[in-house]
Short mmCIF file of all heavy atoms in Angstrom, two decimals:
data_model
loop_
_atom_site.label_atom_id
_atom_site.label_comp_id
_atom_site.label_asym_id
_atom_site.label_seq_id
_atom_site.Cartn_x
_atom_site.Cartn_y
_atom_site.Cartn_z
N LEU A 64 9.04 47.79 -37.41
CA LEU A 64 8.05 46.80 -37.65
C LEU A 64 6.96 46.64 -36.55
O LEU A 64 5.84 46.55 -36.76
CB LEU A 64 8.62 45.37 -38.04
CG LEU A 64 9.50 45.25 -39.24
CD1 LEU A 64 10.07 43.94 -39.41
CD2 LEU A 64 8.59 45.62 -40.49
N GLN A 65 7.54 46.69 -35.30
CA GLN A 65 6.67 46.55 -34.23
C GLN A 65 5.73 47.76 -34.05
O GLN A 65 4.56 47.68 -33.64
CB GLN A 65 7.47 46.48 -32.90
CG GLN A 65 8.07 45.12 -32.74
CD GLN A 65 7.12 44.05 -32.38
OE1 GLN A 65 6.00 44.12 -32.34
NE2 GLN A 65 7.68 42.78 -32.06
N SER A 66 6.23 48.94 -34.43
CA SER A 66 5.40 50.14 -34.38
C SER A 66 4.40 50.14 -35.45
O SER A 66 3.16 50.50 -35.23
CB SER A 66 6.30 51.49 -34.58
OG SER A 66 7.35 51.43 -33.55
N LEU A 67 4.73 49.66 -36.68
CA LEU A 67 3.73 49.65 -37.68
C LEU A 67 2.68 48.58 -37.43
O LEU A 67 1.52 48.69 -37.88
CB LEU A 67 4.44 49.35 -39.06
CG LEU A 67 5.34 50.44 -39.57
CD1 LEU A 67 5.94 49.98 -40.89
CD2 LEU A 67 4.64 51.73 -39.74
N ALA A 68 3.04 47.55 -36.67
CA ALA A 68 2.09 46.45 -36.44
C ALA A 68 0.95 46.94 -35.49
O ALA A 68 -0.10 46.40 -35.38
CB ALA A 68 2.69 45.29 -35.72
N GLY A 69 1.30 48.02 -34.71
CA GLY A 69 0.15 48.54 -33.82
C GLY A 69 -0.67 49.61 -34.48
O GLY A 69 -1.49 50.23 -33.81
N LEU A 70 -0.55 49.87 -35.70
CA LEU A 70 -1.42 50.86 -36.52
C LEU A 70 -2.53 50.15 -37.21
O LEU A 70 -2.36 49.43 -38.34
CB LEU A 70 -0.60 51.64 -37.48
CG LEU A 70 0.58 52.36 -36.85
CD1 LEU A 70 1.48 53.05 -37.84
CD2 LEU A 70 0.18 53.36 -35.80
N GLY A 71 -3.78 50.21 -36.70
CA GLY A 71 -4.89 49.44 -37.19
C GLY A 71 -5.26 50.00 -38.61
O GLY A 71 -5.62 49.27 -39.52
N ASP A 72 -5.22 51.41 -38.88
CA ASP A 72 -5.68 51.97 -40.08
C ASP A 72 -4.64 51.53 -41.31
O ASP A 72 -5.06 51.30 -42.38
CB ASP A 72 -5.65 53.40 -40.08
CG ASP A 72 -6.78 54.02 -39.28
OD1 ASP A 72 -7.86 53.24 -39.29
OD2 ASP A 72 -6.74 55.00 -38.62
N LEU A 73 -3.40 51.34 -40.95
CA LEU A 73 -2.41 50.88 -41.98
C LEU A 73 -2.74 49.48 -42.37
O LEU A 73 -2.69 49.16 -43.59
CB LEU A 73 -1.03 51.00 -41.39
CG LEU A 73 0.12 50.48 -42.39
CD1 LEU A 73 0.12 51.30 -43.62
CD2 LEU A 73 1.43 50.55 -41.65
N ARG A 74 -3.07 48.59 -41.40
CA ARG A 74 -3.35 47.29 -41.79
C ARG A 74 -4.62 47.08 -42.61
O ARG A 74 -4.81 46.32 -43.49
CB ARG A 74 -3.37 46.34 -40.46
CG ARG A 74 -2.12 46.46 -39.78
CD ARG A 74 -1.99 45.38 -38.71
NE ARG A 74 -2.08 44.05 -39.26
CZ ARG A 74 -2.55 43.06 -38.69
NH1 ARG A 74 -3.16 43.06 -37.55
NH2 ARG A 74 -2.60 41.77 -39.21
N VAL A 75 -5.65 47.88 -42.31
CA VAL A 75 -6.85 47.89 -42.97
C VAL A 75 -6.65 48.22 -44.42
O VAL A 75 -7.17 47.77 -45.43
CB VAL A 75 -7.91 48.73 -42.30
CG1 VAL A 75 -9.22 48.90 -43.22
CG2 VAL A 75 -8.41 48.12 -40.95
N TYR A 76 -5.84 49.34 -44.56
CA TYR A 76 -5.48 49.78 -45.95
C TYR A 76 -4.80 48.75 -46.68
O TYR A 76 -5.16 48.53 -47.90
CB TYR A 76 -4.62 51.04 -45.85
CG TYR A 76 -3.76 51.27 -47.08
CD1 TYR A 76 -4.35 51.72 -48.19
CD2 TYR A 76 -2.42 50.91 -47.12
CE1 TYR A 76 -3.53 51.98 -49.33
CE2 TYR A 76 -1.68 51.13 -48.24
CZ TYR A 76 -2.25 51.63 -49.33
OH TYR A 76 -1.47 51.78 -50.54
N MET A 77 -3.83 48.05 -46.23
CA MET A 77 -3.15 47.02 -46.92
C MET A 77 -3.99 45.84 -47.30
O MET A 77 -3.86 45.37 -48.41
CB MET A 77 -1.91 46.58 -46.14
CG MET A 77 -0.85 47.60 -46.00
SD MET A 77 0.66 46.96 -45.22
CE MET A 77 0.12 46.54 -43.63
N ILE A 78 -4.94 45.46 -46.45
CA ILE A 78 -5.86 44.38 -46.73
C ILE A 78 -6.75 44.80 -47.92
O ILE A 78 -6.97 44.06 -48.85
CB ILE A 78 -6.65 44.05 -45.46
CG1 ILE A 78 -5.75 43.39 -44.43
CG2 ILE A 78 -7.75 43.06 -45.79
CD1 ILE A 78 -6.37 43.08 -43.10
N ARG A 79 -7.30 46.02 -47.86
CA ARG A 79 -8.20 46.50 -48.76
C ARG A 79 -7.41 46.68 -50.19
O ARG A 79 -7.91 46.26 -51.24
CB ARG A 79 -8.79 47.81 -48.41
CG ARG A 79 -9.80 48.30 -49.38
CD ARG A 79 -10.14 49.72 -49.11
NE ARG A 79 -9.12 50.66 -49.41
CZ ARG A 79 -8.52 51.52 -48.58
NH1 ARG A 79 -8.85 51.42 -47.30
NH2 ARG A 79 -7.56 52.30 -48.90
N GLU A 80 -6.29 47.21 -50.18
CA GLU A 80 -5.54 47.49 -51.42
C GLU A 80 -5.13 46.19 -52.08
O GLU A 80 -5.30 46.04 -53.38
CB GLU A 80 -4.28 48.31 -51.10
CG GLU A 80 -3.50 48.75 -52.33
CD GLU A 80 -4.30 49.83 -53.20
OE1 GLU A 80 -5.25 50.34 -52.63
OE2 GLU A 80 -3.93 49.96 -54.35
N LEU A 81 -4.58 45.16 -51.29
CA LEU A 81 -4.15 44.00 -51.93
C LEU A 81 -5.34 43.14 -52.42
O LEU A 81 -5.34 42.45 -53.58
CB LEU A 81 -3.40 43.15 -51.01
CG LEU A 81 -2.03 43.77 -50.65
CD1 LEU A 81 -1.29 42.89 -49.54
CD2 LEU A 81 -1.04 43.90 -51.85
N HIS A 82 -6.45 43.15 -51.66
CA HIS A 82 -7.68 42.43 -52.11
C HIS A 82 -8.19 43.07 -53.36
O HIS A 82 -8.69 42.28 -54.27
CB HIS A 82 -8.64 42.46 -50.93
CG HIS A 82 -9.94 41.74 -51.31
ND1 HIS A 82 -9.98 40.35 -51.46
CD2 HIS A 82 -11.25 42.06 -51.39
CE1 HIS A 82 -11.08 39.89 -51.81
NE2 HIS A 82 -11.93 40.98 -51.74
#
Side-chain angles (χ1 to χ4, degrees):
L64 293 177
Q65 290 285 7
S66 301
L67 296 179
L70 303 176
D72 287 332
L73 177 62
R74 303 193 63 213
V75 169
Y76 156 76
M77 291 189 296
I78 293 173
R79 185 191 70 240
E80 185 69 15
L81 294 176
H82 183 64

